Amino acid sequence: DSDIDRVVDDFVAAAQMASEAGFHFVDIKHCHGYLGHEFLSAFNRPGKYGGSLEHRTRFLRSIVEGIRATSNIPIAVRLSAFDWIPFKEGADGVGKPWNDNGAYTEGFGGNETGLGADLKEVFQLFEIFKHLGIELVCITGGSPYYVPHIQRPALFPPSDGYLPPEDPLVGVARQIQITGQIKKQFPEMKIVGSAYSYLQEWLPQVAEAVVEQELVDFVGLGRMVLSYPDMPADILEGNGLKRQKICRTFSDCTTAPRQGMISGCFPLDPFYKGMPEAARLKEIKQKLES
Ligand SMILES: Cc1cc2nc3c(=O)[nH]c(=O)nc-3n(C[C@H](O)[C@H](O)[C@H](O)COP(=O)(O)O)c2cc1C
Ligand code: SF4
């Protein structure tokens, strides 16, 4: 625990640096299997950072307390609001649960089947956010490392992934619905939603609908911002979409860093297409497929 105390101090020092550098806010990451997210599901950890929800949120609360004592920078959180049992590639290449006995109790925001959400503790966490004066939360789900299809719905898996076990649209809808449930419960919070890129040409229409129906305040773009950074400008200016720039969820932007290279939209962005890394990526993918 004393090592963790030092990590908390590092987060506080980093926030102070961000404040001095002129950033508008800091985001305390609690998603995707990274440290803050791990603490939320540290049900079995002994000591002051594990066990009860109070203990499991000590990491977050201590960082927020430290930041408040050293700067005025506003604080946001990026949260995996639901989690599933880890998946692995089955014999047919399609993803399947890591264990077949249909039980999983280790996921924050997950139910005991490992294949569904239970938002009871998530709502309690939002009460804690309110108490801490956190007003901006960016919702995501699961992790790109052990359950990528719920986090980042895609038709084509990255090199360490598996074929989608569900229509990726189901993954998009799941994130919209769960985010909407949270927004309904906490209308005063400013909520960002994720996982819209698989909607492709229909992203603008769905984005407009979810904001209009108050399921979310902001639509966050992940992969689409790599392939088509000016998509929001084209939508707002009524220019029509540039089809050749629309992300098709090829996952090369994930495969490249998994293979030790920089990330970027290698299939669609001419800048990345022309890099030596693009040729290396092609070779690696061919080898993996053969
Ligand atoms: C190459 C790549 C890098 C990412 N890095 C981060 C990250 O550092 N932090 C984070 O919270 N999410 C990260 N994400 C996840 C995205 O923010 C987003 O949640 C996810 O891609 C689903 O949204 P999309 O459908 O718009 O891509 C990353 C995604 C990709 C593809
Ligand atoms: S590499 Fe480009 S097209 Fe493929 S998922 Fe990433 S952003 Fe989308």
Side-chain angles (χ1 to χ4, degrees):
D1 283 358
S2 58
D3 287 346
I4 303 303
D5 295 342
R6 280 196 294 278
V7 176
V8 168
D9 293 342
D10 290 344
F11 270 70
V12 173
Q16 197 172 359
M17 272 190 260
S19 174
E20 284 163 13
F23 284 93
H24 291 177
F25 69 94
V26 288
D27 166 10
I28 308 178
K29 192 170 181 125
H30 275 68
C31 65
H32 301 167
Y34 291 103
L35 192 59
H37 186 211
E38 285 203 299
F39 280 121
L40 292 179
S41 62
F43 302 105
N44 303 320
R45 182 189 167 101
K48 65 180 185 180
Y49 289 106
S52 66
L53 185 63
E54 193 198 342
H55 281 209
R56 284 181 278 124
T57 54
R58 189 180 306 284
F59 182 70
L60 169 72
R61 290 183 292 108
S62 306
I63 292 171
V64 172
E65 243 167 58
I67 294 175
R68 298 274 189 242
T70 49
S71 82
N72 291 323
I73 194 161
I75 300 170
V77 170
R78 171 95 158 126
L79 175 70
S80 279
F82 60 100
D83 207 359
W84 279 22
I85 191 168
F87 269 51
K88 63 178 180 181
E89 193 177 27
D92 54 0
V94 178
K96 63 187 216 76
W98 186 262
N99 93 13
D100 290 325
N101 66 17
Y104 187 66
T105 52
E106 312 302 321
F108 179 76
N111 68 20
E112 68 287 349
T113 68
L115 300 172
D118 177 349
L119 300 184
K120 194 169 136 256
E121 279 209 332
V122 176
F123 291 158
Q124 290 171 10
L125 178 62
F126 268 74
E127 292 294 349
I128 295 172
F129 289 159
K130 267 170 60 179
H131 181 72
L132 294 172
I134 292 167
E135 294 171 2
L136 178 67
V137 182
C138 182
I139 304 289
T140 173
S143 161
Y145 303 105
Y146 55 80
V147 68
H149 74 284
I150 67 166
Q151 184 257 352
R152 201 181 36 202
L155 206 47
F156 305 95
S159 57
D160 62 343
Y162 44 76
L163 292 171
E166 64 185 10
D167 186 322
L169 271 183
V170 174
V172 176
R174 183 182 298 113
Q175 289 218 22
I176 289 176
Q177 281 162 5
I178 289 174
T179 304
Q181 285 176 49
I182 294 169
K183 177 66 192 169
K184 200 167 166 209
Q185 196 79 11
F186 295 91
E188 68 280 25
M189 285 282 202
K190 295 295 167 233
I191 306 284
V192 187
S194 306
Y196 291 88
S197 290
Y198 182 72
L199 289 163
Q200 303 167 66
E201 277 84 346
W202 292 275
L203 192 155
Q205 287 85 350
V206 175
E208 188 175 12
V210 291
V211 171
E212 199 174 273
Q213 291 171 30
E214 299 181 2
L215 297 170
V216 78
D217 296 290
F218 304 94
V219 166
L221 301 185
R223 290 159 294 182
M224 194 66 84
V225 98
L226 297 180
S227 72
Y228 191 175
D230 40 358
M231 181 192 243
D234 280 344
I235 296 169
L236 293 174
E237 286 162 21
N239 292 340
L241 295 180
K242 298 185 180 74
R243 294 202 64 218
Q244 73 279 13
K245 294 177 117 186
I246 292 177
C247 169
R248 302 298 178 191
T249 68
F250 295 127
S251 291
D252 283 11
C253 50
T254 301
T255 294
R258 294 284 193 275
Q259 302 294 329
M261 287 180 272
I262 55 163
S263 179
C265 184
F266 291 96
L268 303 182
D269 183 329
F271 177 80
Y272 287 94
K273 242 185 207 177
M275 291 180 95
E277 281 87 349
R280 234 184 100 206
L281 188 61
K282 219 179 212 172
E283 260 173 45
I284 290 171
K285 284 177 69 175
Q286 274 164 357
K287 242 186 231 160
L288 288 170
E289 277 159 22
S290 62

